[in-house]
Amino acid sequence: VKVRGNYTLEYMKKSIRIKFDKPQSMMQLNNGKKFKNWVLLADWKDLSLLNNPVSFYLGNAILEPDGYYCTDYCPVEVYVNNTYWGVYLLVEQQEVKSGRTSLHETKKNQKSWASSYLFELDGYAEDERLMPEGKGDPTFPVSYFRFDGSVPDFTVKSDINDPDQLVFLESYVEKAYFIVYSALNDNRFYTFDPTYTTLILQPDSTPQETIGQVIDLQSLVDTYLLYEICCNPDVGWSSFYVGLDMTPKGEKKLIFEAPWDFDSSFGIRLSYEMHALPFETNFTNPWLALFRDEPWFQEMVRQKWQELRANQVPEKALQMILDYTARYKLDYLDNYRQWNARVIYGNPEVVAEVNVNKTQQEA
């Protein structure tokens, strides 16, 4: 057991990483599948304690029907050595394991580029690079063709067993962005050669067909909708996950799944553009920004939204807020007795309406 997080490490109530010696299930999450790694989210910033669970509900409702992964979740009360620590959200660790992404697992100590990769657009990538004795996760930059915004590097969250794997991953992502940009803006259509290291010009194609060879477009549509509905201000800064399955059975495309980190969502974060495409800020997500004005992408988003409406997903999310607030009323009260400092003194990052001296129900 260890504390986890980056900026959230400054908070009094710490999030917790758990690693077991052997895989085991936890609270029957993910249909009872057994894994070694689990996470307890403290949700210190969000007095409602609902931003993450509602976002993960929406993530599962949007992504899972199309075959993509979002963590399962369960509110729990945590005791450490018989001492009460409060209400936490039990969730799954983001990793390349069967059942935890749509990627195929790679053999242990695999050194070939034909592996599965999970990586995060990470505002804390430099901290990983500066970890003593090279203990941080591997990172890589991407040079985005003709992109003016400032974009953090990626941190790799899957195993890298050979430096050449990291070189390959950086090259693939950078070239994939070039393919997308060229198709959308220059009407020039490229594809990868069989080694996925060199680009070949295709004379006859369309933007959608070309981009669909390097990006799983439905995953991008689903991810876009989730972050837009949740108004996640961190999407261009950190916790934005991408997968690439280069195994023999893999699609060999960028897959956008495993959404994460919604404690600043739904308008509670102060001084941030509450939009998935914050063009007014320094940090903009280049993968989402590329597609915003494309009619065929808008139509894919529209179709997905109509599907969600037909299944009453927005209404179910709103009902979930009411249900959790009623069901866990006494548990939430105990949590804020334990962490009364958060209620009294507030958090300087949170808007006044949901910051100081608010009950969970008010928040």
Side-chain angles (χ1 to χ4, degrees), residues 77 84 86-87 327-336:
E77 289 184 293
Y84 177 73
V87 174
R327 187 185 312 164
Y328 302 117
K329 180 178 180 179
L330 297 180
D331 304 313
Y332 292 143
L333 189 60
D334 288 341
N335 179 80
Y336 287 117

Side-chain angles (χ1 to χ4, degrees), residues 1-18 38-46 49 52 56 78 80 85-91 93 260-263 339:
V1 176
K2 64 178 182 180
V3 294
R4 71 167 304 279
N6 291 300
Y7 188 81
T8 55
L9 290 175
E10 298 183 10
Y11 299 149
M12 294 174 64
K13 185 183 178 187
K14 312 294 185 185
S15 292
I16 300 167
R17 166 84 176 271
I18 302 171
W38 300 86
V39 173
L40 291 164
L41 295 177
D43 285 334
W44 166 268
K45 184 187 302 179
D46 165 31
L49 295 173
N52 269 314
F56 292 143
V78 173
V80 179
W85 270 38
V87 174
Y88 279 73
L89 191 69
L90 175 66
V91 293
Q93 173 71 17
W260 191 252
D261 194 5
F262 291 87
D263 62 344
W339 302 106

Side-chain angles (χ1 to χ4, degrees), residues 250-322:
E251 288 191 353
K252 301 169 179 64
K253 302 178 184 181
L254 298 178
I255 301 174
F256 298 84
E257 61 178 347
W260 191 252
D261 194 5
F262 291 87
D263 62 344
S264 294
S265 297
F266 297 110
I268 76 165
R269 184 71 181 270
L270 191 67
S271 301
Y272 265 68
E273 290 290 328
M274 293 304 156
H275 197 277
L277 303 169
F279 286 107
E280 291 76 14
T281 68
N282 290 328
F283 293 98
T284 302
N285 189 305
W287 301 98
L288 298 179
L290 273 176
F291 293 90
R292 188 182 73 164
D293 298 322
E294 292 302 314
W296 56 267
F297 184 78
Q298 293 175 346
E299 181 56 31
M300 291 181 71
V301 171
R302 186 177 296 109
Q303 289 177 6
K304 183 66 181 184
W305 174 244
Q306 290 171 348
E307 175 187 318
L308 299 177
R309 290 300 304 272
N311 293 324
Q312 295 187 310
V313 170
E315 290 83 357
K316 291 174 182 176
L318 292 172
Q319 187 60 47
M320 174 184 174
I321 295 171
L322 300 176

